[in-house]
Amino acid sequence: MATRMTANGVSTTTTLGTEQYEVFYIGFRPRRKRYQYDYRHTDGELFSCVAPTLTECRRKRNEWLNKKANN
C-alpha cells in the first residue's frame, strides 16, 4: 500500500521534531478507523505507531519521549 508517509517502505518524516499521520480503515463491517503516526525526534530517532485515535498516538509518543528523557 503506497502512502504519503512512506517511500519504498521508508518513512518520509525527515524533519527533526516533526510529526506526520494519516488515517486508514480496517475491516469491512463495521469499518474501524486507525491512525498511522510517525514522529522524528530532534536526535533523529523515529517513533512510529498505529492507534484508534490521534490522541492515543500522541499519548504513546509522549510516553516514549519520557522514557528517552529518563535514560
Side-chain angles (χ1 to χ4, degrees):
M1 174 171 94
T3 69
R4 63 182 165 81
M5 287 182 52
T6 60
N8 297 321
V10 178
S11 176
T12 59
T13 307
T14 56
T15 305
L16 301 180
T18 61
E19 68 179 14
Q20 190 169 272
Y21 63 90
E22 64 186 26
V23 177
F24 65 96
Y25 294 88
I26 59 174
F28 183 67
R29 283 195 178 148
R31 294 182 68 178
R32 294 178 291 173
K33 184 192 283 189
R34 293 290 183 263
Y35 288 80
Q36 179 178 344
Y37 179 89
D38 285 356
Y39 172 77
R40 180 71 64 179
H41 192 279
T42 54
D43 68 3
E45 190 174 352
L46 179 67
F47 170 80
S48 186
C49 75
V50 173
T53 66
L54 185 56
T55 301
E56 179 69 11
C57 291
R58 289 178 174 149
R59 186 191 62 75
K60 290 180 179 185
R61 178 206 56 202
N62 291 341
E63 286 178 1
W64 177 78
L65 288 170
N66 288 334
K67 285 180 186 176
K68 280 182 71 70
N70 292 329
N71 288 336

